[in-house]
Amino acid sequence: MSQSTLNIKQNSVDFKLEPLNQQAPLFKYKYLEKTLDPAKPNPEKLENYRTVTIKCLVKGCTKKWINQKVNAPTSNYYSHFRFVYKAINIKGLRNDINPRSIILDSTAESSSQLSLKQSFNKRQKIDESKEEEEVQTFIISHFKKLLLNFIVSNNISFRAVTTPSFRRLLAYLHRLVFTAF
């Protein structure tokens, strides 16, 4: 199909984007949203190709790509996730594996094993009930569970806990906890 024929087809009123299950995994698993822009006049001109707007759907992200070709390659979008959201398994996503379903032990063959988030949510009720009892004492194992739950639930890179700013925060907390009692 020639480029001008494709432009005419994509600028027709009947043109629709492919169904979600046939789109690239970033769209299929709702990390990105593709919205068709209005049709352009004179579609026989090569520069009047139909465009889409791509929006990142990750909580708190405002990234948008405007005037993208309808069937443009997705490498720029994957780069956004690789550099901004390091905790998302991009290799798995490129291979059409939903990162939200990745289990704790990637070598396990049992599909009944809980995901990281599921295992923390299961324990959350137990941990919250114990939390009231533990207000008076600081227990490092409980702190580690809470920290890991925070990292996983908020999609924060595991490397964040090795930064100097995070270590300063913990040092300040350490002084507060042990001088308060």
Side-chain angles (χ1 to χ4, degrees), residues 26 31-32 55-65 77-91 93 99 154-159:
L26 282 170
Y31 285 100
L32 295 175
K55 180 182 175 188
C56 183
L57 297 176
V58 174
K59 185 178 178 181
C61 186
T62 58
K63 182 71 175 169
K64 270 188 185 180
W65 294 267
Y77 315 132
Y78 280 105
S79 294
H80 169 69
F81 281 88
R82 189 172 52 252
F83 293 111
V84 179
Y85 302 105
K86 295 179 180 175
I88 295 175
N89 180 355
I90 294 301
K91 286 182 182 177
L93 192 58
N154 294 292
N155 197 21
I156 295 173
S157 171
F158 286 107
R159 294 181 222 176

Side-chain angles (χ1 to χ4, degrees), residues 68-142:
Q68 302 292 299
K69 286 188 175 182
V70 172
N71 294 318
T74 56
S75 58
N76 284 339
Y77 315 132
Y78 280 105
S79 294
H80 169 69
F81 281 88
R82 189 172 52 252
F83 293 111
V84 179
Y85 302 105
K86 295 179 180 175
I88 295 175
N89 180 355
I90 294 301
K91 286 182 182 177
L93 192 58
R94 280 185 179 244
N95 293 324
D96 206 4
I97 299 169
N98 186 350
R100 294 180 181 113
S101 67
I102 293 175
I103 54 180
L104 285 168
D105 180 2
S106 59
T107 61
E109 296 189 25
S110 169
S111 62
S112 64
Q113 188 170 0
L114 298 175
S115 70
L116 280 172
K117 195 166 188 173
Q118 289 169 333
S119 67
F120 282 113
N121 288 339
K122 184 178 177 183
R123 297 251 346 164
Q124 190 170 3
K125 289 183 181 178
I126 297 167
D127 290 344
E128 285 173 354
S129 64
K130 288 180 180 177
E131 206 169 309
E132 291 176 3
E133 298 169 13
E134 295 174 354
V135 169
Q136 296 300 320
T137 58
F138 182 84
I139 300 171
I140 192 70
S141 61
H142 184 68

Side-chain angles (χ1 to χ4, degrees), residues 43-56:
E44 55 281 345
K45 292 184 179 179
L46 291 180
E47 64 271 7
N48 289 342
Y49 56 85
R50 189 79 179 261
T51 59
V52 292
T53 298
I54 309 294
K55 180 182 175 188
C56 183

